[in-house]
Amino acid sequence: MRALALSLVSLLLLAGCSGASTPSGPASSTRPDGSVVAANAGLPAPVWQVGDFWNYTGPFGAFDYVVSADAGDDYTVDTDAGGVAWFNTRSDISTMGAIRKSDLAGSQGQTRVQFFDWPLRDNKTWSMTLDEGQGGGTLKVTAKQTGPEAFAMTARRDNGTAYLSYTYDNKTRWFKELDFKDGQGASAFKVTLQRSGKAFAGDLVRWTYDTILKASGDLAQQTPGTSIYGVPATATDVYVDLEVRCASGFAGVGTGPFPFVGSLVGTDDRGAGNPGTQCPVEESFHGVAGAYHAPVPAAGDTVRGENWGYDIVGGAGTVGSFAFSIYIRTAAHFKVGEIPK
């Protein structure tokens, strides 16, 4: 019996060292929420909680994405950075707003952006639609496994060039990096995760705005004249996008507190652009032109706002073009779970 037992042990040891054995595969793993992932099952979608946050750095500087609310089938994601929130208000960032719980699909308008196809597996491919009309469109995504619960994805255009590369790690449960590419596939806009956590306690921000002006065209077709608009006391600021290119003639494109005479020494230093100057001139401004200042009322007046003005000056003989937008913005600051109306 002893000899038989030793023979069986020897056979088992040999089987363990021989190429004829069947690999057991990777061991099962435990997700951050405590659930167990079976071996070879692929990586399932993570579960988020209200208050979860991810801190990134990028062209906007440092900012946080925060799960601000539970919206049923979706999570709601907001940010604490005013610049990021403003960009989202006008351009609809796919990683903000509604993020579908089942698969973490982002949203742009009515389009769902399928960053992931769960369960994730090495060499898995799928399609997603992102940034239509802005360099993206329908993209083919390929996932490469880079760790036990980590993947790197590349989303390519029809011509094979990369539009976006991004990474996921189940330890942080979202992107570790997003790198948007230019038309040649080189890095053009990149954000990188610095840390993540739970129970975000800071202030979040959203913008609403009124469009005062959105115009562009040939300066030769413009005639002098100032238009007046009111900035209410409840507004946060006046935001301006302005581009002027003038080769010859006389041109003026700008806005500021009325009367708009920004070229005169000693006048209000708020504003953007200029009321008129001799060409050639090239001018670019994208930012806050100023905030509301309460005017001094005359006797018996009830102050309801502040008057600002803008002008677009050109005319026959002026050679150049302009693009000019004016927005009156109002910021709403709030905490997690206190979504503004």
Side-chain angles (χ1 to χ4, degrees):
M1 291 291 293
R2 178 177 174 82
L4 178 60
L6 287 173
S7 297
L8 288 173
V9 170
S10 299
L11 286 171
L12 288 172
L13 289 174
L14 287 171
C17 297
S18 73
S21 63
T22 302
S24 61
S28 61
S29 57
T30 302
R31 300 168 64 193
D33 63 5
S35 60
V36 176
V37 180
N40 300 318
L43 191 65
V47 176
W48 292 354
Q49 301 295 329
V50 173
D52 288 350
F53 70 91
W54 298 263
N55 178 262
Y56 294 91
T57 54
F60 290 113
F63 64 97
D64 291 289
Y65 280 149
V66 182
V67 181
S68 56
D70 184 327
D73 291 335
D74 294 316
Y75 305 107
T76 301
V77 171
D78 279 282
T79 186
D80 59 346
V84 177
W86 176 237
F87 191 85
N88 179 59
T89 298
R90 294 198 294 172
S91 302
D92 198 2
I93 298 175
S94 57
T95 48
M96 289 184 63
I99 306 295
R100 193 161 55 202
K101 288 181 179 180
S102 62
D103 60 1
L104 302 189
S107 57
Q108 285 186 318
Q110 301 302 310
T111 301
R112 286 293 184 169
V113 182
Q114 191 176 355
F115 290 104
F116 309 102
D117 187 14
W118 309 95
L120 290 177
R121 296 188 182 90
D122 192 34
N123 293 317
K124 192 172 189 179
T125 62
W126 64 94
S127 295
M128 75 170 174
T129 301
L130 173 66
D131 295 342
E132 288 185 288
Q134 303 175 50
T138 300
L139 308 168
K140 181 180 180 180
V141 185
T142 302
K144 294 290 186 181
Q145 189 160 9
T146 58
E149 294 190 325
F151 286 81
M153 274 64 65
T154 303
R156 298 184 181 277
R157 305 174 177 93
D158 288 340
N159 64 7
T161 60
Y163 179 71
L164 171 65
S165 63
Y166 52 104
T167 58
Y168 174 88
D169 193 319
N170 215 40
K171 292 178 181 178
T172 57
R173 297 174 299 140
W174 209 18
F175 305 107
K176 293 192 70 175
E177 182 179 279
L178 294 106
D179 188 0
F180 288 84
K181 314 293 186 178
D182 63 17
Q184 287 68 51
S187 178
F189 184 96
K190 183 178 180 179
V191 297
T192 304
L193 182 70
Q194 302 302 313
R195 61 191 178 91
S196 62
K198 297 179 178 296
F200 184 84
D203 286 338
L204 304 173
V205 60
R206 290 184 185 179
W207 292 98
T208 55
Y209 66 95
D210 292 320
T211 302
I212 300 302
L213 176 71
K214 191 174 182 64
S216 61
D218 185 350
L219 285 167
Q221 304 299 316
Q222 307 303 311
T223 56
T226 299
S227 299
I228 309 301
Y229 62 95
V231 178
T234 54
T236 301
D237 55 40
V238 177
Y239 189 96
V240 171
D241 286 315
L242 184 152
E243 296 282 344
V244 179
R245 301 288 183 270
C246 181
S248 61
F250 188 84
V253 180
T255 187
F258 186 78
F260 179 48
V261 287
S263 63
L264 300 183
V265 176
T267 59
D268 197 318
D269 61 0
R270 294 172 295 160
N274 69 82
T277 188
Q278 198 69 37
C279 298
V281 62
E282 289 194 10
E283 194 162 5
S284 177
F285 184 93
H286 302 275
V288 177
Y292 168 87
H293 284 187
V296 178
D301 284 353
T302 300
V303 177
R304 296 180 182 275
E306 180 184 25
N307 284 334
W308 282 44
Y310 70 85
D311 62 9
I312 305 172
V313 178
T318 298
V319 178
S321 62
F322 74 97
F324 191 20
S325 299
I326 303 171
Y327 309 95
I328 297 176
R329 308 193 306 171
T330 303
H333 297 277
F334 61 100
K335 298 288 187 181
V336 169
E338 301 175 353
I339 303 300
K341 296 181 180 180

